[in-house]
């Protein structure tokens, strides 16, 4: 669905074809028809024709009524986000969540949070940066409110895969974006963690051999846009046969990654599949089957990507 050129502020249209595999992805149990799907349509907001429903799992997280981070719906009562987003307080009553948001600020209802679960090994550093928030009441699914699929523990993301990260970030790192902040996306390519460790060597302590661990993913934009400030906790999603699967959580970056050639760092969702499954009863995970192996492949297809880059998304 196209709402007209120039009508959607901060909009970057994806032109990436979904990867094809011999075996289609499936989701165990009843989630097959509900997660990882979009219902894109156009509507008028503040006198402008905008595209909505493109990322229906995206939520905004508020602390004492003020936006602090993003997250993603993985269940009718559970939101997945970054652990560092919840360091202001461990009291769930101080947090709230908004769903179906296309711009912020907006007037949608704040949903109450009854519980927060921060990974037990997170200690205000960059690893194990994952957390869950349980909503007091279950949300009602609608075209603008849908869950994203999560990968099984064996889901393999091929180096060079093209994925998307979402957020309400800045268009330029020097100039603050003016309100209202429109939901934006940027295409990023998955790169090897060894390359990330080379780029971030200056962060290593004296006896430290690597900075980027197995619980992290590295990604960078080809065209200079990248993950930046103000959108920690957002999802890194990859599309496989028309199903969106969350492979990462926006964690941190150095000096707005793409422009200064420092990759963005994401918490690896497959690495924490078992941990998530322990916290959320009955949650199902996306998979592909091929002789017992599970593989997700998104080859980087040069020439298949047409992007209009409107700047950078600063995440933190």
């Amino acid at each position: 669905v196209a709402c007209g050129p120039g009508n959607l502020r901060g909009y970057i249209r994806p032109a990436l074809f979904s990867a094809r595999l011999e075996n289609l992805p499936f989701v165990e149990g009843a989630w097959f028809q509900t997660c990882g799907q979009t219902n894109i349509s156009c509507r008028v907001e503040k006198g402008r024709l905008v595209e909505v429903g493109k990322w229906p799992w995206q939520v905004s997280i508020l602390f004492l009524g003020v936006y602090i981070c993003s997250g993603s719906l993985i269940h009718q009562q559970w939101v997945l986000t970054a652990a560092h987003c919840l360091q202001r307080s461990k009291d769930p009553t101080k947090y709230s969540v908004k769903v179906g948001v296309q711009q912020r600020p907006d007037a949608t209802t704040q949903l109450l949070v009854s519980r927060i679960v921060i990974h037990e090994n997170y200690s205000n550093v960059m690893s194990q940066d994952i957390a869950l928030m349980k909503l007091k009441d279950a949300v009602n699914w609608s075209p603008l409110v849908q869950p994203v699929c999560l990968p099984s523990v064996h889901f393999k993301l091929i180096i060079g895969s093209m994925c998307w990260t979402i957020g309400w970030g800045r268009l330029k790192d020097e100039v603050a974006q003016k309100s209202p902040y429109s939901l934006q996306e940027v295409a990023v390519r998955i790169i090897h963690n060894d390359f990330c460790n080379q780029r971030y060597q200056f962060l290593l302590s004296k006896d430290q051999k690597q900075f980027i661990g197995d619980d992290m993913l590295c990604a960078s934009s080809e065209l200079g846009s990248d993950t930046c400030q103000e959108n920690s906790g957002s999802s890194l999603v990859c599309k496989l046969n028309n199903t969106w699967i969350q492979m990462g959580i926006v964690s941190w970056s150095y000096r707005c990654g793409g422009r200064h050639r420092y990759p963005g760092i994401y918490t690896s969702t497959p690495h924490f599949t078992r941990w998530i499954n322990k916290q959320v009863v009955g949650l199902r995970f996306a998979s592909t089957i091929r002789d017992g192996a599970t593989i997700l492949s998104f080859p980087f297809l040069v020439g298949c990507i047409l992007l209009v880059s409107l700047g950078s998304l600063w995440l933190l």
Side-chain angles (χ1 to χ4, degrees), residues 184-312:
Q184 302 174 89
E185 70 266 6
V186 62
V188 293
R189 182 165 61 93
I190 303 300
I191 58 181
H192 203 286
N193 280 11
D194 288 348
F195 176 80
C196 270
N197 276 309
Q198 291 176 6
R199 296 297 299 145
Y200 286 108
Q201 274 188 341
F202 64 95
L203 294 177
L204 294 176
S205 61
K206 184 177 180 180
D207 299 323
Q208 194 174 9
K209 293 183 179 180
Q210 67 175 22
F211 194 79
I212 312 301
D214 293 337
D215 62 318
M216 305 177 194
L217 290 176
C218 248
S220 183
S221 170
E222 293 292 305
L223 297 179
S225 300
D226 211 336
T227 56
C228 301
Q229 201 173 33
E230 298 170 352
N231 283 290
S232 283
S234 290
S235 59
L236 173 72
V237 292
C238 308
K239 191 176 186 181
L240 178 60
N241 296 305
N242 296 317
T243 300
W244 289 100
I245 301 170
Q246 181 170 353
M247 297 302 296
I249 304 166
V250 174
S251 182
W252 60 277
S253 63
Y254 179 72
R255 298 182 66 188
C256 197
R259 178 177 179 183
H260 299 281
R261 304 189 64 80
Y262 287 97
I265 309 300
Y266 303 80
T267 301
S268 172
T269 312
H271 185 85
F272 294 99
T273 292
R274 290 191 178 95
W275 180 82
I276 296 171
N277 201 27
K278 286 174 63 177
Q279 315 302 325
V280 185
V281 178
L283 191 63
R284 305 300 183 181
F285 297 87
S287 216
T288 61
I289 294 182
R290 182 177 180 181
D291 298 327
T294 308
I295 301 174
L296 172 61
S297 176
F298 285 94
F300 176 57
L301 304 179
V302 178
C304 291
I305 302 170
L306 299 175
L307 296 172
V308 179
S309 177
L310 297 180
S312 298

Side-chain angles (χ1 to χ4, degrees), residues 26-28 31 35-36 72-75 80 130 132 147-153 155 235 243-249 269-270 272-273 276-277 280 283-287:
F26 75 99
V27 180
E28 303 165 353
W31 285 83
C35 73
S72 53
L73 275 173
I74 60 171
H75 181 277
L80 182 65
I130 187 170
L132 290 160
V148 66
C149 288
L150 291 178
S152 71
V153 68
F155 234 108
S235 59
T243 300
W244 289 100
I245 301 170
Q246 181 170 353
M247 297 302 296
I249 304 166
T269 312
F272 294 99
T273 292
I276 296 171
N277 201 27
V280 185
L283 191 63
R284 305 300 183 181
F285 297 87
S287 216

Side-chain angles (χ1 to χ4, degrees), residues 51-120:
E51 194 173 61
V52 297
K54 193 171 186 179
W55 312 110
W57 49 84
Q58 180 80 3
V59 307
S60 60
I61 299 172
L62 297 85
F63 179 73
L64 299 178
V66 178
Y67 171 82
I68 55 168
C69 275
S70 299
S72 53
L73 275 173
I74 60 171
H75 181 277
Q76 280 187 300
Q77 277 189 277
W78 288 93
V79 170
L80 182 65
T81 188
H84 74 262
C85 289
L86 307 179
Q87 294 306 294
R88 292 166 176 83
S89 173
K90 301 300 189 294
D91 182 0
T93 64
K94 294 184 178 181
Y95 295 92
S96 59
V97 167
K98 288 188 175 185
V99 300
V101 176
Q102 305 301 311
Q103 290 185 337
R104 64 173 186 87
D106 76 329
T108 56
T109 302
Q110 296 183 33
L111 306 179
L112 301 179
V113 177
S114 63
R115 182 185 173 199
I116 59 175
V117 184
I118 297 174
H119 195 280
E120 56 274 12

Side-chain angles (χ1 to χ4, degrees), residues 23-34:
N23 300 280
L24 299 179
F26 75 99
V27 180
E28 303 165 353
W31 285 83
F32 177 63
Q33 296 297 332
T34 57

